[in-house]
Amino acid sequence: MNDKQLVEKLSNAYGVSGFEDDVIAIAREYLKDIADFEEDSMRNLYIRPKYNKGIRPQVLLDAHSDEVGFMVQAIKPDGTLRFIPVGGWNEKSLPSSKVAVYTKKGYITGVIAAQPPHLMTAEQRNAPVTISSLFIDIGATSAEEAAAFGVEVGAPVAPATKFEYDEKHGLYHGKAFDDRLGVAALLIAVKELAKASLNVDILGVISSQEEVGERGITAAMHRIKPDAAICIEGCPADDTSAPSYMIQDAIRSGVMLRHMDATVICTPRFNSFAQEVAKESGVKIQMAVRSGGGNNGAYIVSSNGGTPVIVAGIPVRYIHTFNCIAAEEDLYSTVNLCVELCKKLDGKVIKGF
């Protein structure tokens, strides 16, 4: 598959936290000719390129496979589904959204119900939207019929948005860009590095369950001991919401290198090195300092006695919603930065971090 097909397949794949199997299958297919794979019980995928020597310092490329979604909590007597969120959602964005509900025979279509205004009281119109006030409708008329559809308690539910590529403007439209664009960048970079002269070995980890507390990478870091790490993320673009002087993650402005957020201070010397490499290589970057948020970098930097880490973010508008927008050029800026960094890293440089 080519890169555009890869991005489309990754975005369209259903992979709510804990149910990332379809995403992992796409990654395996894309790199099947140049890498060996291993999985653990959390559905972390370890990618070991065949061009590694096994005796050089190891650089980790990390991206998480899961997306925010929901889980069926109960089937109501009228056949609708009570659900809970998996990951962080803005509840106001949910009513009338189309979803895919897992059954053992495949995903079926549902909708997060929105009460027609004709049937709403004044009190209902003014009430805040909460998860507890919403339900999923799959078209069943009773609990028995919903069960006959194949729905069970514990079923994952994912947004049913289909990917679109705006070729004229180089834009991606779709779901799960956090972090399927990061996964795409990781996979493309691993393939590109097969052509490079390296002084390091590469380890890719497509980690699970990031959206519910970075659980996959926490488990993975007990199994691996990288010498340095690049955490590749889809990050919330702020260019349509922040005042001009606070815009730090705009689409078409390149890789967002994060100094800190609520969970991590990225390794300052590694960050400075990445900025120098980007300048030398002509890769567009932008710098960010966040008061909130979090990512796998927090668990990487504090593991194995301390692992130097940077966060390479791909700007995504309307992250954690059913409809995201991102620029193709930002994906390739991220790929190029990862490739150029890996080409310039060696044992001496890493020890200087």
Side-chain angles (χ1 to χ4, degrees):
M1 71 186 85
N2 61 36
D3 293 352
K4 290 185 181 66
Q5 291 169 328
L6 173 66
V7 173
E8 180 174 7
K9 285 179 176 290
L10 288 170
S11 176
N12 285 342
Y14 299 136
V16 176
S17 303
F19 301 87
E20 301 92 346
D21 303 72
D22 291 349
V23 183
I24 296 308
I26 295 166
R28 282 178 171 271
E29 176 65 22
Y30 185 78
L31 293 180
K32 63 182 180 181
D33 295 329
I34 67 164
D36 296 317
F37 306 96
E38 181 185 358
E39 287 185 42
D40 62 27
S41 62
M42 290 193 70
R43 297 282 71 81
N44 290 313
L45 180 69
Y46 303 85
I47 301 168
R48 293 181 171 85
K50 295 178 181 178
Y51 51 75
N52 283 347
K53 304 293 186 184
I55 56 174
R56 302 179 295 193
Q58 189 176 75
V59 175
L60 168 65
L61 301 180
D62 165 74
H64 68 86
S65 56
D66 59 318
E67 64 184 300
V68 291
F70 313 95
M71 182 175 284
V72 175
Q73 186 178 34
I75 301 174
K76 299 167 71 174
D78 63 1
T80 61
L81 312 177
R82 185 182 176 96
F83 66 95
I84 62 171
V86 178
W89 284 98
N90 175 359
E91 290 92 342
K92 295 177 182 178
S93 71
L94 298 181
S96 82
S97 296
K98 185 178 178 181
V99 295
V101 183
Y102 174 82
T103 76
K104 291 178 180 177
K105 294 183 179 180
Y107 282 85
I108 63 173
T109 299
V111 63
I112 299 178
Q115 186 84 307
H118 317 67
L119 303 179
M120 297 176 73
T121 65
E123 182 181 3
Q124 288 173 322
R125 289 192 189 97
N126 295 322
V129 177
T130 62
I131 294 289
S132 61
S133 69
L134 299 173
F135 55 87
I136 294 171
D137 193 334
I138 57 172
T141 58
S142 67
E144 292 75 19
E145 188 176 8
F149 280 24
V151 177
E152 298 178 354
V153 170
V157 179
T161 309
K162 291 301 181 184
F163 176 85
E164 295 179 20
Y165 175 59
D166 179 351
E167 186 172 8
K168 181 178 179 180
H169 302 103
L171 292 171
Y172 300 138
H173 295 262
K175 70 170 183 67
F177 290 174
D178 173 16
D179 185 30
R180 304 290 166 69
L181 290 184
V183 172
L186 185 157
L187 297 173
I188 297 168
V190 168
K191 185 171 283 191
E192 286 296 312
L193 285 166
K195 310 169 189 174
S197 176
L198 298 173
N199 294 305
V200 294
D201 282 348
I202 305 299
L203 172 63
V205 172
I206 299 180
S207 50
S208 64
Q209 299 190 35
E210 190 269 354
E211 298 294 358
V212 289
E214 293 80 24
R215 298 171 188 173
I217 194 63
T218 303
M221 292 303 291
H222 288 291
R223 296 168 62 106
I224 60 175
K225 296 185 182 298
D227 296 281
I230 303 170
C231 178
I232 311 171
E233 261 286 10
C235 296
D238 53 13
D239 51 340
T240 60
S241 59
S244 58
Y245 72 93
M246 279 295 291
I247 294 174
Q248 299 182 335
D249 193 24
I251 68 170
R252 301 194 190 282
S253 294
V255 188
M256 184 209 71
L257 286 175
R258 184 173 298 191
H259 286 286
M260 71 170 288
D261 59 33
T263 65
V264 64
I265 297 174
C266 295
T267 307
R269 291 180 183 177
F270 194 178
N271 234 336
S272 295
F273 181 76
Q275 293 175 58
E276 293 171 6
V277 170
K279 185 176 180 180
E280 293 169 1
S281 306
V283 176
K284 289 198 295 187
I285 60 170
Q286 48 194 324
M287 308 306 301
V289 175
R290 297 302 198 204
S291 57
N295 58 80
N296 282 349
Y299 294 84
I300 295 170
V301 76
S302 58
S303 298
N304 299 321
T307 304
V309 70
I310 58 169
V311 173
I314 303 170
V316 177
R317 286 180 177 173
Y318 320 119
I319 207 167
H320 285 213
T321 73
F322 278 64
N323 296 282
C324 306
I325 302 173
E328 183 177 51
E329 64 186 84
D330 294 329
L331 170 69
Y332 283 105
S333 289
T334 306
V335 170
N336 293 338
L337 180 61
C338 291
V339 169
E340 293 302 319
L341 278 172
C342 290
K343 285 162 62 176
K344 290 179 170 59
L345 288 170
D346 58 31
K348 182 178 179 181
V349 171
I350 292 171
K351 286 181 181 178
F353 296 155

